[in-house]
Amino acid sequence: MTDTPHALPRPTLQPAHRGTPAVRIWLPVFGACFLVWTLSNLDQSIFGYVIPGILTEFHQPIQTAGLILAISFVAASLFVVIGGIAADRFGRGATLAVLLALSGVSVGLQGLAQSIVMLTILRSLAFGFGGGLSPITSAFVVEAVPARLRGLSIGLLQCGYPLGWFLASLLASPLLQSGGWRAACFAGFVVIPLALPIFWVLRRAAPPPTASSMQPAQPRAGVGMLFDTEHRVISIACIVTFFCFAGAYAGSAFFFTTFFTSVRHYSQAEAIALVGSSNGIAIVGYLAAALIGEFLLTRRTVFIIWMVCGAAALLGLLWLPRTHLQDALWYAVMAGFFYGAAAVFPVIIAELFPTRIRSTALAVCGSMPQCLGFALFPLLVPLVVAHLGWTMALSVVVTPPMLIAALAMLAVPNRRSGLALHDSRMTAHQPSIAQTAEIAP
């Protein structure tokens, strides 16, 4: 995990290194990546909170918000692939710090936009830079933590998503009331000065490459390797799963503030507070997914269960509540299962690909289809809303891809938790000698 440019493969970190306590390696790495992921989601969630204010000021229909999101994520699908490849090629720490700072700049500058076109450009840059952080933070954590804590650590890392939405609601609500949606965007500038100390922490925490890791890069390493005979089915299954999961997420999460103001008739501040607080409660779902996937079931099984339960909870949220409390509770349950499935999915991808293409795999099979799902569904939802209304539109557009994502995950090997990275192809029914050695006293 050094940041010196070279063409050598990234080293796989083990739980401990000669003369270096394991906790001194993985704890700072995890802490820095968790902070990055929380700040990134704080930045990006602000846009979901300020959509009603933007549409009002620029006199735009809800379809415009979908178009802005679609354009943003089409651009982001290119940024994340470039970011993942650059991280593997030139160093993850430096790439991460640059993307984080640029994301904060882009979010903050949205508050100065004087036209809907300029706002769209800045939104595209913000999502692009922020989206590129996902494969890098996941690769950092997967390689730094001990194998037995890998799934739990990735699950905890994904808690940065609801925590970011929760913290953003604490910032956005008072800022919206005092200075409007532009003031809420200025919160993005807070992220910029944190990029350099985060880079410093990652540099110091990264151990030097071991002799065994200093091997020449194989010529097949790269995007092409993802679709060779060995990896093709897994890559396609991951792409379908991430596209459907992200599409369902983008078709719901970014519009729930507008849904609660339009359908439930809450004020904008009340809707923001409800979504933010419920996302805070939903952290329980993320933690449960990580713990159960690590110690009781396989992560693939947890993802499937969480998606099916999330689809059921989403329908419950849309059709059943009659009070503010019921809205909050149903949203928390839905988010805990639906969005909480993200606690296990990134580590599934990361464990199935070699170290030398791990960031690339996370970008191509995870972040890129995620961005494309984010681009399509925000366009689709407003179009269906115009004909069917919010409740029916979210039911028929968001629920089916959630179930498709669960089905596509069945094509991924049912890998046991706690295996070393080099045993990534082992399934729940194929224990290995390496696994036995790892858990032996």
Side-chain angles (χ1 to χ4, degrees), residues 65-77:
L67 182 60
I68 293 173
L69 288 169
I71 294 173
S72 301
F73 285 114
V74 168
S77 65

Side-chain angles (χ1 to χ4, degrees), residues 10-69:
R10 311 299 300 177
T12 301
L13 303 184
Q14 299 301 324
H17 295 265
R18 191 180 303 274
T20 305
V23 71
R24 290 178 57 188
I25 297 171
W26 65 264
L27 189 58
V29 172
F30 173 81
C33 290
F34 181 80
L35 178 59
V36 168
W37 194 229
T38 300
L39 293 172
S40 175
N41 283 287
L42 184 153
D43 273 358
Q44 308 312 324
S45 61
I46 287 175
F47 186 76
Y49 289 138
V50 302
I51 283 177
I54 291 173
L55 298 180
T56 299
E57 178 173 329
F58 291 106
H59 307 289
Q60 297 292 324
I62 185 63
Q63 287 80 2
T64 300
L67 182 60
I68 293 173
L69 288 169

Side-chain angles (χ1 to χ4, degrees), residues 274-427:
L274 187 152
V275 172
S277 60
S278 296
N279 270 303
I281 297 172
I283 292 176
V284 175
Y286 287 73
L287 295 175
L291 290 169
I292 294 174
E294 188 67 67
F295 300 111
L296 296 179
L297 304 174
T298 64
R299 283 184 269 274
R300 189 191 76 166
T301 301
V302 168
F303 179 85
I304 294 171
I305 293 174
W306 256 236
M307 290 302 290
V308 172
C309 291
L314 174 63
L315 294 175
L317 167 65
L318 295 173
W319 294 97
L320 298 181
R322 295 293 181 268
T323 67
H324 185 281
L325 178 61
Q326 291 174 355
D327 274 327
L329 291 177
W330 272 106
Y331 187 97
V333 173
M334 181 278 299
F337 280 110
F338 178 9
Y339 307 148
V344 294
F345 194 30
V347 73
I348 292 175
I349 297 180
E351 290 179 332
L352 292 174
F353 294 94
T355 300
R356 61 187 176 277
I357 59 167
R358 184 162 294 117
S359 289
T360 302
L362 285 164
V364 174
C365 300
S367 296
M368 185 181 69
Q370 172 180 314
C371 289
L372 294 176
F374 278 15
L376 175 62
F377 280 74
L379 278 179
L380 183 60
V381 168
L383 292 176
V384 181
V385 167
H387 293 86
L388 301 180
W390 277 105
T391 304
M392 181 61 72
L394 291 175
S395 299
V396 301
V397 174
V398 177
T399 305
M402 295 173 65
L403 300 178
I404 294 173
L407 289 174
M409 183 52 60
L410 292 173
V412 173
N414 198 19
R415 183 186 182 278
R416 297 183 67 139
S417 301
L419 296 179
L421 290 179
H422 54 272
D423 295 323
S424 61
R425 297 304 302 275
M426 292 296 172
T427 69

